[in-house]
Amino acid sequence: MGSWDGSRLAFERLRGRLNRRTAAAARLAEQRPAHFVVFDLLRRGADEDLSGRSYAARRTALEHLFAEDSFGSQFAL
């Protein structure tokens, strides 16, 4: 997960959101939304281990996963 700081992901900004109470957590979530960023795909389902494949093959599998599951425009590769 990361929080955007201009054009870069600022993972250190997430530390400030840890262990907050409900009101503070909600405020920080609005001010600094977190994003789940997927760089690689090592497993697909319970039976398909992709870790032995090249990065290019895993990246292709990741792109197909996003296309097949219709995650929508909120996700970008």
Coordinates of all heavy atoms in Angstrom, one line a residue:
M1 N 0.8 -1.2 0.0 CA 0.0 0.0 0.0 C 0.9 1.2 0.0 O 2.0 1.2 0.5 CB -0.9 0.0 1.2 CG -2.0 -1.0 1.2 SD -3.1 -0.6 2.6 CE -4.5 0.0 1.7
G2 N 0.3 2.3 -0.5 CA 1.1 3.5 -0.5 C 0.1 4.7 -0.6 O -1.1 4.6 -0.8
S3 N 0.7 5.9 -0.3 CA -0.1 7.1 -0.3 C 0.7 8.0 -1.3 O 1.9 8.1 -1.2 CB -0.1 7.7 1.1 OG -0.8 8.9 1.1
W4 N 0.0 8.6 -2.2 CA 0.6 9.5 -3.2 C 1.1 10.8 -2.6 O 0.3 11.4 -1.9 CB -0.4 9.7 -4.4 CG -0.6 8.5 -5.2 CD1 -1.7 7.7 -5.1 CD2 0.3 8.0 -6.2 NE1 -1.5 6.7 -6.0 CE2 -0.3 6.8 -6.7 CE3 1.5 8.3 -6.7 CZ2 0.3 6.0 -7.6 CZ3 2.1 7.5 -7.6 CH2 1.5 6.4 -8.1
D5 N 2.3 11.2 -2.9 CA 2.8 12.5 -2.6 C 3.3 13.1 -3.9 O 4.4 12.8 -4.4 CB 4.0 12.3 -1.6 CG 4.6 13.6 -1.2 OD1 4.0 14.7 -1.4 OD2 5.6 13.6 -0.5
G6 N 2.4 13.9 -4.5 CA 2.7 14.4 -5.8 C 2.7 13.3 -6.9 O 1.6 12.6 -7.0
S7 N 3.8 13.0 -7.5 CA 3.8 11.9 -8.5 C 4.5 10.7 -8.1 O 4.7 9.8 -8.8 CB 4.5 12.5 -9.8 OG 5.9 12.8 -9.4
R8 N 4.8 10.6 -6.7 CA 5.4 9.4 -6.3 C 4.6 8.8 -5.1 O 3.9 9.5 -4.4 CB 6.8 9.7 -5.8 CG 6.9 10.4 -4.5 CD 8.4 10.6 -4.0 NE 8.5 11.1 -2.7 CZ 8.4 10.3 -1.6 NH1 8.3 9.0 -1.7 NH2 8.5 10.9 -0.4
L9 N 4.8 7.5 -4.9 CA 4.2 6.8 -3.8 C 5.1 7.0 -2.5 O 6.3 6.9 -2.6 CB 4.1 5.3 -4.0 CG 3.0 4.8 -4.9 CD1 3.1 3.3 -5.2 CD2 1.6 5.1 -4.2
A10 N 4.5 7.5 -1.5 CA 5.2 7.8 -0.2 C 4.7 6.8 0.9 O 3.8 7.0 1.6 CB 4.9 9.2 0.2
F11 N 5.4 5.6 0.9 CA 5.0 4.6 1.9 C 5.2 5.1 3.3 O 4.4 4.6 4.2 CB 5.9 3.3 1.6 CG 5.7 2.7 0.3 CD1 6.6 3.0 -0.8 CD2 4.6 1.9 0.0 CE1 6.4 2.4 -2.0 CE2 4.4 1.4 -1.2 CZ 5.3 1.6 -2.2
E12 N 6.1 6.0 3.6 CA 6.3 6.5 4.9 C 5.1 7.2 5.5 O 4.9 7.3 6.7 CB 7.6 7.3 5.0 CG 7.5 8.6 4.2 CD 7.8 8.6 2.8 OE1 8.1 7.4 2.2 OE2 7.9 9.6 2.1
R13 N 4.3 7.8 4.6 CA 3.1 8.5 5.0 C 2.0 7.6 5.6 O 1.2 8.0 6.4 CB 2.5 9.3 3.8 CG 3.3 10.4 3.4 CD 2.8 11.1 2.2 NE 1.6 11.8 2.6 CZ 0.9 12.6 1.8 NH1 1.3 12.8 0.5 NH2 -0.2 13.2 2.1
L14 N 2.1 6.3 5.3 CA 1.2 5.3 5.9 C 1.4 5.1 7.4 O 0.5 4.9 8.2 CB 1.3 4.0 5.2 CG 0.8 3.9 3.8 CD1 1.0 2.6 3.2 CD2 -0.7 4.3 3.7
R15 N 2.6 5.3 7.9 CA 2.9 5.1 9.3 C 2.1 6.0 10.2 O 1.7 5.7 11.3 CB 4.4 5.3 9.6 CG 5.2 4.1 9.2 CD 6.7 4.4 9.6 NE 7.3 4.8 8.3 CZ 8.3 5.7 8.3 NH1 8.8 6.2 9.4 NH2 8.8 6.0 7.1
G16 N 1.8 7.2 9.7 CA 1.0 8.2 10.4 C -0.4 7.8 10.6 O -1.2 8.3 11.4
R17 N -0.8 6.8 9.8 CA -2.2 6.4 9.8 C -2.4 5.1 10.7 O -3.6 4.7 10.9 CB -2.7 6.1 8.4 CG -2.8 7.3 7.5 CD -3.3 7.0 6.2 NE -4.6 6.2 6.2 CZ -5.3 5.9 5.1 NH1 -4.9 6.3 4.0 NH2 -6.4 5.2 5.3
L18 N -1.4 4.5 11.1 CA -1.5 3.3 11.9 C -2.0 3.6 13.3 O -1.6 4.6 13.9 CB -0.1 2.6 12.0 CG 0.4 2.1 10.7 CD1 1.8 1.6 10.9 CD2 -0.5 1.1 10.1
N19 N -2.7 2.7 13.9 CA -3.2 2.7 15.3 C -3.9 4.0 15.6 O -3.8 4.5 16.7 CB -2.0 2.5 16.2 CG -1.3 1.2 16.0 OD1 -2.0 0.2 15.8 ND2 0.0 1.2 16.0
R20 N -4.8 4.5 14.7 CA -5.6 5.7 15.0 C -7.0 5.2 15.4 O -7.5 4.2 15.0 CB -5.7 6.6 13.7 CG -4.3 7.1 13.3 CD -3.8 8.1 14.3 NE -2.5 8.6 13.8 CZ -2.0 9.7 14.2 NH1 -2.6 10.5 15.0 NH2 -0.8 10.0 13.8
R21 N -7.6 6.1 16.2 CA -9.0 5.8 16.6 C -9.9 6.2 15.4 O -9.5 6.8 14.4 CB -9.3 6.6 17.8 CG -8.5 6.1 19.0 CD -9.0 6.7 20.3 NE -8.2 6.3 21.4 CZ -8.5 5.3 22.2 NH1 -9.7 4.7 22.1 NH2 -7.7 5.0 23.2
T22 N -11.2 5.8 15.5 CA -12.1 5.9 14.4 C -12.2 7.3 13.8 O -12.0 7.4 12.6 CB -13.5 5.5 14.9 OG1 -13.4 4.2 15.5 CG2 -14.5 5.5 13.8
A23 N -12.3 8.4 14.5 CA -12.5 9.7 14.0 C -11.2 10.1 13.3 O -11.2 10.7 12.1 CB -12.9 10.7 15.0
A24 N -10.0 9.9 13.9 CA -8.8 10.3 13.3 C -8.5 9.5 12.1 O -8.0 10.0 11.1 CB -7.6 10.1 14.3
A25 N -8.8 8.2 12.1 CA -8.6 7.3 11.0 C -9.4 7.7 9.8 O -8.9 7.8 8.7 CB -8.9 5.8 11.4
A26 N -10.7 8.1 10.0 CA -11.5 8.5 9.0 C -11.0 9.8 8.4 O -11.0 10.0 7.1 CB -13.0 8.7 9.5
R27 N -10.6 10.8 9.2 CA -10.0 12.0 8.7 C -8.8 11.8 7.9 O -8.6 12.4 6.8 CB -9.8 13.0 9.9 CG -9.3 14.4 9.5 CD -9.0 15.3 10.7 NE -7.8 14.9 11.3 CZ -7.6 14.3 12.5 NH1 -8.7 14.0 13.2 NH2 -6.5 14.0 13.0
L28 N -7.9 11.0 8.4 CA -6.6 10.7 7.6 C -6.9 10.0 6.3 O -6.2 10.2 5.3 CB -5.6 10.0 8.5 CG -5.0 10.8 9.6 CD1 -4.2 9.9 10.5 CD2 -4.1 11.9 9.0
A29 N -7.9 9.1 6.3 CA -8.2 8.4 5.1 C -8.7 9.3 4.0 O -8.5 9.1 2.9 CB -9.3 7.3 5.4
E30 N -9.5 10.3 4.5 CA -10.0 11.3 3.5 C -8.8 12.3 3.0 O -8.7 12.6 1.9 CB -11.1 12.2 4.2 CG -11.7 13.1 3.2 CD -12.9 13.8 3.8 OE1 -13.7 13.2 4.6 OE2 -13.1 15.0 3.5
Q31 N -8.0 12.7 4.0 CA -6.9 13.6 3.6 C -5.8 12.9 2.8 O -5.2 13.5 1.9 CB -6.3 14.2 4.9 CG -7.2 15.1 5.6 CD -6.6 15.5 7.0 OE1 -5.6 15.0 7.4 NE2 -7.3 16.5 7.6
R32 N -5.5 11.7 3.2 CA -4.4 11.0 2.5 C -4.8 9.6 2.2 O -4.5 8.6 2.9 CB -3.2 10.9 3.5 CG -2.6 12.2 3.8 CD -1.4 12.1 4.7 NE -0.8 13.3 5.0 CZ 0.2 13.5 5.8 NH1 0.7 12.5 6.5 NH2 0.7 14.7 6.0
P33 N -5.6 9.4 1.2 CA -6.1 8.0 0.9 C -4.9 7.1 0.5 O -3.9 7.5 0.0 CB -7.0 8.3 -0.4 CG -6.7 9.6 -0.9 CD -6.1 10.4 0.2
A34 N -5.1 5.8 0.9 CA -4.1 4.8 0.6 C -4.5 4.1 -0.6 O -5.7 3.9 -0.9 CB -3.9 3.9 1.8
H35 N -3.5 3.6 -1.3 CA -3.7 2.8 -2.6 C -3.0 1.5 -2.5 O -1.8 1.5 -2.1 CB -3.3 3.6 -3.8 CG -4.0 5.0 -3.9 ND1 -5.1 5.1 -4.6 CD2 -3.6 6.2 -3.4 CE1 -5.5 6.4 -4.5 NE2 -4.6 7.1 -3.7
F36 N -3.7 0.5 -2.9 CA -3.0 -0.8 -3.0 C -2.4 -0.9 -4.4 O -3.0 -0.8 -5.4 CB -4.1 -2.0 -2.8 CG -3.5 -3.3 -2.8 CD1 -2.7 -3.8 -1.8 CD2 -3.7 -4.2 -3.9 CE1 -2.1 -5.0 -1.8 CE2 -3.1 -5.4 -3.9 CZ -2.4 -5.9 -2.8
V37 N -1.1 -1.1 -4.4 CA -0.3 -1.1 -5.7 C 0.2 -2.6 -5.9 O 0.9 -3.1 -5.1 CB 0.8 -0.1 -5.6 CG1 1.6 -0.2 -6.9 CG2 0.3 1.2 -5.3
V38 N -0.1 -3.1 -7.1 CA 0.3 -4.4 -7.4 C 1.4 -4.3 -8.5 O 1.2 -3.8 -9.5 CB -0.9 -5.3 -8.0 CG1 -0.4 -6.7 -8.4 CG2 -2.0 -5.3 -7.0
F39 N 2.6 -4.9 -8.2 CA 3.7 -4.9 -9.1 C 4.0 -6.2 -9.7 O 4.6 -6.3 -10.8 CB 5.0 -4.5 -8.3 CG 5.0 -3.1 -7.8 CD1 4.6 -2.8 -6.5 CD2 5.2 -2.0 -8.6 CE1 4.6 -1.6 -5.9 CE2 5.2 -0.7 -8.1 CZ 4.9 -0.5 -6.8
D40 N 3.5 -7.3 -9.1 CA 3.8 -8.6 -9.6 C 2.7 -9.6 -9.2 O 1.9 -9.3 -8.3 CB 5.2 -9.0 -8.9 CG 5.9 -10.1 -9.7 OD1 5.3 -10.7 -10.6 OD2 7.1 -10.3 -9.4
L41 N 2.7 -10.7 -9.8 CA 1.7 -11.8 -9.5 C 2.5 -13.1 -9.4 O 3.1 -13.6 -10.3 CB 0.7 -11.9 -10.6 CG -0.4 -12.9 -10.5 CD1 -1.3 -12.5 -9.3 CD2 -1.3 -12.9 -11.7
L42 N 2.5 -13.6 -8.1 CA 3.3 -14.8 -7.9 C 2.4 -16.1 -7.8 O 2.8 -17.2 -8.0 CB 4.0 -14.7 -6.5 CG 5.1 -13.5 -6.5 CD1 5.7 -13.4 -5.1 CD2 6.1 -13.7 -7.6
R43 N 1.1 -15.9 -7.5 CA 0.1 -17.0 -7.4 C -1.2 -16.5 -8.1 O -1.5 -15.4 -7.9 CB -0.1 -17.5 -6.0 CG 1.0 -18.1 -5.3 CD 0.6 -18.8 -4.1 NE -0.2 -20.0 -4.4 CZ 0.3 -21.2 -4.8 NH1 1.6 -21.3 -4.9 NH2 -0.4 -22.2 -5.0
R44 N -1.8 -17.4 -8.7 CA -3.1 -17.2 -9.3 C -4.0 -18.3 -8.8 O -3.9 -19.4 -9.3 CB -3.1 -17.0 -10.8 CG -4.4 -16.6 -11.3 CD -4.3 -16.2 -12.8 NE -5.6 -15.7 -13.2 CZ -5.8 -15.3 -14.4 NH1 -4.8 -15.2 -15.3 NH2 -7.0 -14.9 -14.8
G45 N -4.9 -18.0 -7.9 CA -5.7 -19.0 -7.3 C -4.9 -19.9 -6.4 O -3.8 -19.7 -6.1
A46 N -5.5 -21.0 -5.9 CA -4.9 -21.9 -5.0 C -3.9 -22.8 -5.6 O -2.9 -23.3 -5.0 CB -5.9 -22.7 -4.2
D47 N -4.1 -23.1 -6.9 CA -3.3 -24.1 -7.6 C -2.2 -23.6 -8.6 O -1.4 -24.4 -9.0 CB -4.2 -25.1 -8.3 CG -5.2 -25.7 -7.4 OD1 -4.9 -26.0 -6.3 OD2 -6.3 -26.0 -7.9
E48 N -2.2 -22.4 -8.9 CA -1.3 -21.9 -10.0 C -0.2 -21.1 -9.4 O -0.3 -19.9 -9.0 CB -2.1 -21.1 -11.0 CG -1.3 -20.8 -12.3 CD -2.1 -20.1 -13.3 OE1 -3.3 -19.9 -13.2 OE2 -1.4 -19.9 -14.4
D49 N 1.0 -21.7 -9.3 CA 2.2 -21.0 -8.8 C 2.9 -20.4 -10.0 O 3.4 -21.1 -10.9 CB 3.1 -22.0 -8.1 CG 4.4 -21.4 -7.6 OD1 4.6 -20.2 -7.6 OD2 5.2 -22.2 -7.1
L50 N 3.1 -19.1 -10.0 CA 3.7 -18.4 -11.1 C 5.2 -18.0 -10.8 O 5.9 -17.4 -11.6 CB 2.9 -17.1 -11.5 CG 1.5 -17.3 -11.8 CD1 0.8 -16.0 -12.0 CD2 1.3 -18.2 -13.0
S51 N 5.6 -18.3 -9.6 CA 6.9 -17.8 -9.1 C 8.1 -18.3 -9.9 O 9.1 -17.7 -10.0 CB 7.1 -18.1 -7.6 OG 7.1 -19.5 -7.4
G52 N 7.9 -19.4 -10.6 CA 9.0 -19.9 -11.4 C 9.1 -19.3 -12.8 O 10.0 -19.6 -13.6
R53 N 8.1 -18.5 -13.2 CA 8.0 -17.9 -14.5 C 8.8 -16.6 -14.5 O 9.1 -16.0 -13.5 CB 6.6 -17.7 -14.9 CG 5.7 -18.9 -15.1 CD 4.4 -18.6 -15.6 NE 3.5 -19.8 -15.5 CZ 2.3 -19.8 -15.9 NH1 1.7 -18.6 -16.3 NH2 1.6 -20.9 -15.8
S54 N 9.1 -16.2 -15.7 CA 9.8 -14.9 -15.9 C 8.9 -13.8 -15.4 O 7.7 -13.9 -15.4 CB 10.2 -14.7 -17.3 OG 9.1 -14.5 -18.1
Y55 N 9.5 -12.6 -15.1 CA 8.8 -11.4 -14.7 C 7.8 -11.1 -15.9 O 6.7 -10.7 -15.6 CB 9.7 -10.3 -14.4 CG 8.8 -9.0 -14.1 CD1 8.1 -8.9 -12.9 CD2 8.8 -8.0 -15.0 CE1 7.3 -7.8 -12.7 CE2 8.0 -6.9 -14.8 CZ 7.3 -6.8 -13.7 OH 6.5 -5.7 -13.4
A56 N 8.3 -11.1 -17.1 CA 7.4 -10.7 -18.3 C 6.2 -11.6 -18.3 O 5.1 -11.1 -18.5 CB 8.2 -10.8 -19.6
A57 N 6.3 -12.9 -18.1 CA 5.2 -13.8 -18.1 C 4.3 -13.5 -16.9 O 3.0 -13.6 -17.1 CB 5.7 -15.3 -18.0
R58 N 4.8 -13.2 -15.7 CA 4.0 -12.9 -14.6 C 3.2 -11.6 -14.8 O 2.1 -11.4 -14.4 CB 4.8 -12.8 -13.3 CG 5.4 -14.2 -12.9 CD 6.0 -14.2 -11.5 NE 6.9 -13.0 -11.2 CZ 8.2 -13.0 -11.4 NH1 8.8 -14.0 -11.9 NH2 8.9 -11.9 -11.0
R59 N 3.9 -10.6 -15.4 CA 3.3 -9.3 -15.7 C 2.1 -9.5 -16.7 O 1.1 -8.9 -16.5 CB 4.3 -8.4 -16.3 CG 3.8 -7.0 -16.7 CD 3.3 -6.2 -15.5 NE 2.7 -5.0 -15.9 CZ 2.6 -3.9 -15.2 NH1 3.0 -3.9 -14.0 NH2 2.1 -2.8 -15.7
T60 N 2.3 -10.3 -17.7 CA 1.3 -10.6 -18.6 C 0.1 -11.3 -17.9 O -1.1 -10.9 -18.2 CB 1.8 -11.5 -19.8 OG1 2.8 -10.9 -20.5 CG2 0.7 -11.9 -20.7
A61 N 0.4 -12.2 -17.0 CA -0.7 -12.9 -16.2 C -1.4 -11.8 -15.4 O -2.7 -11.9 -15.3 CB -0.1 -14.0 -15.4
L62 N -0.7 -10.9 -14.8 CA -1.3 -9.8 -14.0 C -2.2 -9.0 -14.9 O -3.4 -8.6 -14.5 CB -0.2 -9.0 -13.4 CG -0.7 -7.8 -12.5 CD1 -1.5 -8.2 -11.3 CD2 0.5 -7.0 -12.1
E63 N -1.8 -8.6 -16.1 CA -2.6 -7.8 -17.0 C -3.8 -8.5 -17.4 O -4.9 -8.0 -17.4 CB -1.8 -7.4 -18.2 CG -0.7 -6.4 -17.8 CD 0.2 -6.0 -18.9 OE1 0.0 -6.5 -20.1 OE2 1.2 -5.3 -18.7
H64 N -3.7 -9.8 -17.6 CA -4.9 -10.6 -18.0 C -5.9 -10.7 -16.8 O -7.1 -10.7 -17.0 CB -4.5 -12.0 -18.5 CG -4.0 -12.0 -19.8 ND1 -2.7 -12.3 -20.1 CD2 -4.6 -11.8 -21.0 CE1 -2.5 -12.2 -21.4 NE2 -3.6 -11.9 -22.0
L65 N -5.3 -10.9 -15.6 CA -6.2 -10.9 -14.4 C -7.0 -9.7 -14.3 O -8.2 -9.7 -14.1 CB -5.3 -11.1 -13.2 CG -6.1 -11.1 -11.8 CD1 -7.0 -12.3 -11.7 CD2 -5.1 -11.0 -10.7
F66 N -6.4 -8.5 -14.5 CA -7.2 -7.2 -14.4 C -8.2 -7.1 -15.5 O -9.3 -6.7 -15.3 CB -6.2 -6.0 -14.5 CG -5.7 -5.7 -13.1 CD1 -4.7 -6.4 -12.5 CD2 -6.1 -4.6 -12.5 CE1 -4.2 -6.1 -11.3 CE2 -5.6 -4.2 -11.2 CZ -4.6 -5.0 -10.6
A67 N -7.8 -7.6 -16.7 CA -8.8 -7.5 -17.9 C -9.9 -8.5 -17.7 O -11.1 -8.2 -17.9 CB -8.0 -7.9 -19.1
E68 N -9.6 -9.7 -17.2 CA -10.7 -10.7 -17.0 C -11.7 -10.4 -15.9 O -12.8 -10.7 -16.0 CB -10.0 -12.1 -16.7 CG -9.3 -12.7 -17.8 CD -8.4 -13.9 -17.4 OE1 -8.6 -14.3 -16.2 OE2 -7.6 -14.4 -18.2
D69 N -11.2 -9.9 -14.8 CA -12.0 -9.6 -13.7 C -12.7 -8.3 -13.7 O -13.4 -7.9 -12.7 CB -11.2 -9.8 -12.4 CG -10.8 -11.3 -12.1 OD1 -11.5 -12.1 -12.7 OD2 -9.9 -11.5 -11.4
S70 N -12.5 -7.5 -14.7 CA -13.1 -6.2 -14.9 C -13.1 -5.3 -13.6 O -14.1 -4.9 -13.1 CB -14.6 -6.4 -15.3 OG -14.7 -7.2 -16.5
F71 N -11.9 -5.1 -13.1 CA -11.7 -4.3 -11.9 C -12.1 -2.8 -12.2 O -12.4 -2.1 -11.3 CB -10.2 -4.3 -11.5 CG -9.9 -5.6 -10.8 CD1 -8.9 -6.4 -11.4 CD2 -10.4 -6.0 -9.6 CE1 -8.6 -7.6 -10.8 CE2 -10.0 -7.2 -9.0 CZ -9.1 -8.0 -9.6
G72 N -12.2 -2.4 -13.4 CA -12.6 -1.1 -13.7 C -11.5 -0.1 -13.8 O -10.4 -0.4 -13.6
S73 N -11.9 1.2 -14.1 CA -11.0 2.2 -14.3 C -10.2 2.7 -13.1 O -9.3 3.5 -13.2 CB -11.7 3.4 -15.0 OG -12.7 3.9 -14.1
Q74 N -10.7 2.2 -11.9 CA -10.0 2.7 -10.7 C -8.6 2.0 -10.6 O -7.8 2.4 -9.8 CB -10.8 2.3 -9.4 CG -11.0 0.8 -9.3 CD -12.0 0.6 -8.1 OE1 -12.4 1.5 -7.4 NE2 -12.4 -0.6 -7.9
F75 N -8.3 1.0 -11.4 CA -7.0 0.3 -11.4 C -6.3 0.6 -12.7 O -6.9 0.6 -13.8 CB -7.2 -1.2 -11.3 CG -7.8 -1.6 -10.0 CD1 -9.1 -1.8 -9.8 CD2 -7.0 -1.8 -8.9 CE1 -9.7 -2.1 -8.6 CE2 -7.5 -2.1 -7.6 CZ -8.8 -2.3 -7.5
A76 N -5.0 0.9 -12.6 CA -4.2 1.1 -13.8 C -3.0 0.3 -13.8 O -2.4 0.1 -12.7 CB -3.9 2.6 -13.9
L77 N -2.6 -0.2 -14.9 CA -1.3 -1.0 -15.0 C -0.2 -0.2 -15.5 O -0.4 0.7 -16.3 CB -1.5 -2.2 -15.8 CG -2.5 -3.3 -15.3 CD1 -2.8 -4.3 -16.3 CD2 -2.0 -3.9 -14.0

